[in-house]
Amino acid sequence: MSTGVDEELARGLAGFVAALRAVDPAGGPESGRGQALVTRDEPTRAALAQLDGEIDVAGAARVWADCLAVGPGDAAPAWCHGDLSPGNVLVRDGRLRAVIDFGGIGVGDPTVDLVVAWNLLSPAGREVFRAELAVDDATWERGRGWALSIALIQLPYYRTSNPALAANARHTISEALSPGR
């Protein structure tokens, strides 16, 4: 994907996330994934134990600990999609055309919707996405933690049953562990 195309997709995704966050959350159902990142600690560490020899477990554990160390933040509950993964983001000619699979939508910590920065966008697209949403360092680190946690849990689960999801999990882990994030 060329940089310009990826940046256009990043702007479209940021616009979607911003529009979702702008909807009044009062009375909305709780998001399954919009919880504090620390709620993912046990399953994430269990997944790390299953991935020894397959990924850089020590590096992933360090990044995971760094992401948890930033704390829960103070983001007001907002609507979040909860599953902005490549299979749920429909792209044509480099532009966002639709987002599907709203089964996880609800109100919670909107940081979970930052995962798309690592599971789909290039580093340049990631920076555009972050700038468009004006994400501070701590929130960005929690988003990175969400992306890493989801991917670490997905990899052993989908390793043989869904090669495409496993491949994206590997990609996401690599992106989350790469310098510059």
Side-chain angles (χ1 to χ4, degrees), residues 63 118 123 126 144 171-181:
V63 169
W118 290 270
R126 223 176 351 261
R144 178 181 176 213
H171 167 78
T172 304
I173 292 165
S174 176
E175 291 297 301
L177 299 183
S178 68
R181 316 180 281 281

Side-chain angles (χ1 to χ4, degrees), residues 78-157:
W79 281 97
C80 45
H81 181 275
D83 194 13
L84 287 179
S85 60
N88 294 335
V89 174
L90 305 183
V91 178
R92 184 171 179 192
D93 299 325
R95 295 185 61 196
L96 178 66
R97 299 301 181 173
V99 174
I100 61 172
D101 189 359
F102 284 80
I105 196 166
V107 174
D109 181 352
T111 305
V112 69
D113 283 343
L114 299 179
V115 300
V116 72
W118 290 270
N119 70 23
L120 182 62
L121 297 173
S122 70
R126 223 176 351 261
E127 288 306 312
V128 169
F129 180 73
R130 181 179 181 177
E132 291 285 318
L133 290 172
V135 176
D136 63 61
D137 291 343
T139 303
W140 193 247
E141 195 69 1
R142 282 191 301 281
R144 178 181 176 213
W146 268 103
L148 182 61
S149 174
I150 291 168
L152 289 170
I153 293 168
Q154 282 181 336
L155 183 52
Y157 187 83

Side-chain angles (χ1 to χ4, degrees), residues 155-170:
L155 183 52
Y157 187 83
Y158 290 115
R159 186 184 291 123
T160 58
S161 65
N162 191 326
L165 278 178
N168 186 255
R170 283 184 189 91

